[in-house]
Amino acid sequence: GSGFFISADGYAVTNNHVVDGADKVEVTTDDGKTYSAKVIGTDQRTDLALIKVEGGSNFQFAKLSDGKPRIGDWVLAVGNPFGLGGTVTAGIVSAYGRDIGETFVDYIQIDAPINRGNSGGPTFDIYGRVIGVNTMIFSPSGGSVGIGFAIPAALADSVTKQLISGGKIQRGYIGATIQNFTSDMAEAQGLGSQKGAIVSDTVPGGPSAR
């Protein structure tokens, strides 16, 4: 797996699936030094984890950007594919806000090659800002085919700040089931345009029901 420091005192971001079920966590930095680390907190729903390296300080770190990348922007994916060590691949942002069925994350789609071991590594823009966290790929073969996904940095920043503070991850909750508003529905309602959505159900006792 991969990860990156977000503070000089050793806090680092990675994926939840990298550390999930681990008996111990070790971090090897680019200079070849190995450190013990402990898991500070995880969030399975965004596949993020925060770890803290022990026995070191003054680490070089990268800040999570609050900017939104543009489709076509160049990106660099950094990580540890197949255990080779620090490796960088280049590509562009292929799409933004990609919903691939995972809860609570609208992914950045990139075509920079991501392979096994890249999970948790940073996605940089050309200005050296971390715009995402490498997380997964679509692949019929198990290898990179140029469709990779990164968790947006703004979401990673929000989750890690909550984990550092020791709190639970808080999310907005509507408690309603929404379905697509089709042209047939619009016609049946006597509406001139197909805009909006249909609330098909509410959770009993939830915010929408109230």
Side-chain angles (χ1 to χ4, degrees):
S2 304
F4 57 99
F5 290 113
I6 58 170
S7 69
D9 57 352
Y11 282 103
V13 171
T14 187
N15 282 145
N16 174 65
H17 75 258
V18 170
V19 299
D20 187 35
D23 294 320
K24 66 175 182 177
V25 177
E26 289 184 340
V27 171
T28 301
T29 52
D30 282 342
D31 58 8
K33 295 180 180 178
T34 299
Y35 301 87
S36 295
K38 61 180 180 180
V39 177
I40 301 300
T42 62
D43 182 34
Q44 185 176 5
R45 291 182 171 180
T46 56
D47 195 20
L48 287 166
L50 181 72
I51 63 176
K52 177 76 161 57
V53 168
E54 301 171 325
S57 60
N58 199 30
F59 292 103
Q60 291 187 343
F61 65 96
K63 292 184 178 180
L64 291 160
S65 173
D66 58 1
K68 180 179 178 180
R70 301 169 300 174
I71 295 173
D73 280 352
W74 280 96
V75 291
L76 302 173
V78 181
N80 180 34
F82 306 111
L84 291 171
T87 299
V88 59
T89 53
I92 62 170
V93 174
S94 303
Y96 191 85
R98 192 67 95 191
D99 179 2
I100 58 175
E102 300 292 330
T103 309
F104 298 115
V105 181
D106 290 328
Y107 291 96
I108 304 169
Q109 181 183 328
I110 62 175
D111 70 349
I114 297 174
N115 287 288
R116 187 180 302 274
N118 274 111
S119 292
T123 308
F124 286 99
D125 64 12
I126 60 173
Y127 303 105
R129 300 173 300 198
V130 177
I131 62 157
V133 181
N134 306 328
T135 299
M136 68 175 70
I137 62 172
F138 270 167
S139 173
S141 62
S144 175
V145 293
I147 301 179
F149 299 97
I151 300 166
L155 176 59
D157 185 49
S158 173
V159 170
T160 53
K161 283 178 178 176
Q162 292 180 68
L163 293 175
I164 288 174
S165 68
K168 293 182 178 180
I169 305 301
Q170 295 183 338
R171 299 180 174 91
Y173 175 59
I174 298 175
T177 302
I178 310 296
Q179 72 181 64
N180 288 334
F181 187 52
T182 66
S183 57
D184 290 339
M185 290 178 179
E187 184 177 350
Q189 296 294 325
L191 300 177
S193 60
Q194 181 186 336
K195 293 181 179 179
I198 294 291
V199 178
S200 61
D201 196 12
T202 60
V203 176
S208 294
R210 291 198 297 271

